[in-house]
Amino acid sequence: MTNNTSLFRGVRSSKFRHVYGSPSKREELYDNIPITRNAHDSNFCAANPKFVAIVTEVAGGGAFVVLPINKTGRLDLNTSKVTGHRGPVLDVKWNPFNDNIIASCSDDCTVKLWYIPDSGLSCNLNEWLIELSGHRRRVGHIEWHPTAENVIASSGFDYMVMLWDAGTGQILNTIDCHPDIVHSLTFNRDGTRLATTCKDKKIRSIDPRSGLVVSEGICHEGSRSCKVIYLDNERLLTTGFSTYSDRQIAIWNHTDLSEPLHRVNIDSSSGILFPYYDYDTRMVYLAGKGDGNIRYYEIVDESPYIHFLNQFISGCPQKGFGMMVKRGCSVSRCEIMRFYKLHTTRNVCEPISMIVPRKSDQYQHDLYPDTAAPVPALSAQEWFNGISKPPVLMSMKTGVSVKTHKPQAFVSNEATRNDTNYRMKFAFLSKETVPDYRPLDMLPEIEKIQKTQVNQNTRFQQIQQKLSNSLVGKFTNMTDGDEECNNMKENSNYSDNLKNEYQVGVYIKYLFEE
């Protein structure tokens, strides 16, 4: 008889097993937004703690709307938009180090950067900060560097991947190793590697500074679009299709892309799966175009490297997703991720919060490790010259950056970002502490002497000091027998008893009137 108890492995322990998706109420939706009907495989949405940007449908060109994060409800038809592109906008991404700057790419073969004021747009914006022109065909995808300031990568339908210094508008490097259209691109955690998926079914790990392909291999056998994200500095996750059109996910080591570490079949749907990864919780979220659900998995270091947790199910299919950065999540609700879902059948953008159920309303340290701060670790030129640094981290509890040479205060959400009292409360964390080695019994006497010295510097004491100096000067030129000398001595004794500035002024006038 077989011992069945030996085959039972038990339930894997995970603090994210009961994570659930919380849809928004009707008044929390962004309604009446003319969402683009473009069929490009992009998210069409981007969010940060200040704004949410959504690509819209306009006649005669490309545009996207930028809304303050708290401006929910029904959108006015005449709402101001960013209308500087001459063709449809295909992708938008917020600058990770400046919440007011957004990059967009378009059918007009350009990448443009825009500045959005804190109050939002008051009129249509058609003046860009800088235009990056170099692609010969339309630009499909853009990606900001995670640690270097003003470095952005773009991929076009000319099979080129270009790295730009957005501060100067110059091309840092052009990567020409793809024989077909690039479907996606992503940087690893410190930005030393760039991974791409291509229409030739291959995945490539590239050195972005030199443009050399470090490793490559067949990603998924299906002919439809594949997507890739970095899980850390070494491992990759891809989504794609099998030969029989089953949707798949696979885990790879970027040093050897000949075979995946693990491959899993998901289902037989036809929508392209988009992966979203949270470095802090090590959770992967999968959302397919045309699907109504969001699957989420946990990444581990041992085989099989990925474990299914649960899924958020909705009856409304999605056209795209925007992912909020971790510093924009609400720690009071135990919110570990927030998505902005673009509905397919309605002109609605719906926030969806992923929440860990906890009874206590206190800060949960295990859910919020130090996350990426909006501070670059190095400049664009330093990175291109070969310097590599990990991201600057910040605390989600205090909002103060850590592991940086110049401490600065940062906040974890929009509510505390505008709270002056919150900043003053934690201002001491960024100040250097000077130890005081003086004996405790001497401190009262020392403080009294210091206060006396400070009082000596007041305007009244300065006037008295000048007055006494003038009297001393006159005494030195007189003899004790002179009548004037005797009068001056008497007056000098009187001057020691002056009580206020008015008496000093009258006394000066009396002495020097004639």
Side-chain angles (χ1 to χ4, degrees), residues 248-501:
Q248 296 178 330
I249 57 175
I251 308 293
W252 309 76
N253 189 321
H254 74 166
T255 58
D256 183 12
L257 297 176
S258 58
E259 287 292 333
L261 299 175
H262 186 65
R263 196 191 302 267
V264 180
N265 285 344
I266 303 297
D267 54 23
S268 299
S269 298
S270 58
I272 298 173
L273 278 176
F274 285 84
Y276 307 89
Y277 184 61
D278 182 6
Y279 286 101
D280 302 330
T281 60
R282 303 185 71 184
M283 289 179 62
V284 171
Y285 303 85
L286 300 181
K289 280 202 171 185
D291 295 354
N293 59 344
I294 304 174
R295 297 178 176 88
Y296 36 99
Y297 301 76
E298 187 173 9
I299 302 297
V300 295
D301 296 327
E302 302 83 16
S303 180
Y305 304 104
I306 185 169
H307 293 277
F308 175 75
L309 293 175
N310 209 336
Q311 62 178 335
F312 166 76
I313 300 176
S314 171
C316 300
Q318 57 244 10
K319 186 177 183 61
F321 265 97
M323 178 178 173
M324 173 64 75
V325 294
K326 180 55 70 72
R327 55 191 172 87
C329 296
S330 174
V331 297
S332 61
R333 299 177 56 199
C334 293
E335 182 185 46
I336 59 173
M337 186 52 61
R338 190 190 311 156
F339 293 100
Y340 289 82
K341 172 181 174 179
L342 304 182
H343 287 232
T344 303
T345 56
R346 298 186 298 162
N347 291 330
V348 169
C349 176
E350 177 187 8
I352 298 176
S353 298
M354 311 304 296
I355 296 175
V356 180
R358 294 284 175 92
K359 292 183 179 180
S360 174
D361 58 355
Q362 301 296 319
Y363 179 78
Q364 307 294 320
H365 293 271
D366 59 331
L367 300 182
Y368 300 104
D370 293 338
T371 189
V375 177
L378 67 168
S379 66
Q381 199 59 42
E382 288 174 342
W383 174 80
F384 190 68
N385 290 336
I387 302 176
S388 298
K389 292 182 180 179
V392 178
L393 302 180
M394 61 172 277
S395 169
M396 286 288 288
K397 181 178 182 180
T398 62
V400 177
S401 63
V402 296
K403 296 183 181 180
T404 177
H405 299 293
K406 296 180 179 180
Q408 296 180 9
F410 299 101
V411 288
S412 57
N413 52 49
E414 185 66 18
T416 57
R417 181 176 296 273
N418 296 325
D419 191 352
T420 305
N421 295 331
Y422 181 88
R423 294 187 178 183
M424 295 176 62
K425 181 178 179 181
F426 297 103
F428 69 93
L429 294 173
S430 61
K431 294 182 179 180
E432 182 181 1
T433 302
V434 180
D436 192 350
Y437 299 105
R438 295 176 297 182
L440 294 178
D441 55 350
M442 293 180 59
L443 289 180
E445 186 65 25
I446 293 174
E447 291 179 356
K448 182 178 180 181
I449 295 174
Q450 290 177 347
K451 291 180 179 179
T452 304
Q453 292 175 350
V454 171
N455 293 333
Q456 293 294 333
N457 294 326
T458 60
R459 183 166 174 258
F460 177 61
Q461 297 292 338
Q462 290 174 359
I463 294 174
Q464 282 192 328
Q465 185 67 30
K466 290 181 180 180
L467 179 59
S468 62
N469 292 339
S470 64
L471 295 175
V472 170
K474 289 195 174 186
F475 281 135
T476 56
N477 298 324
M478 299 179 185
T479 61
D480 292 338
D482 294 341
E483 182 179 358
E484 186 177 359
C485 179
N486 295 331
N487 294 333
M488 292 294 291
K489 285 182 178 182
E490 294 177 359
N491 293 334
S492 64
N493 294 331
Y494 171 74
S495 66
D496 292 336
N497 298 322
L498 296 178
K499 301 298 182 182
N500 54 45
E501 296 180 18

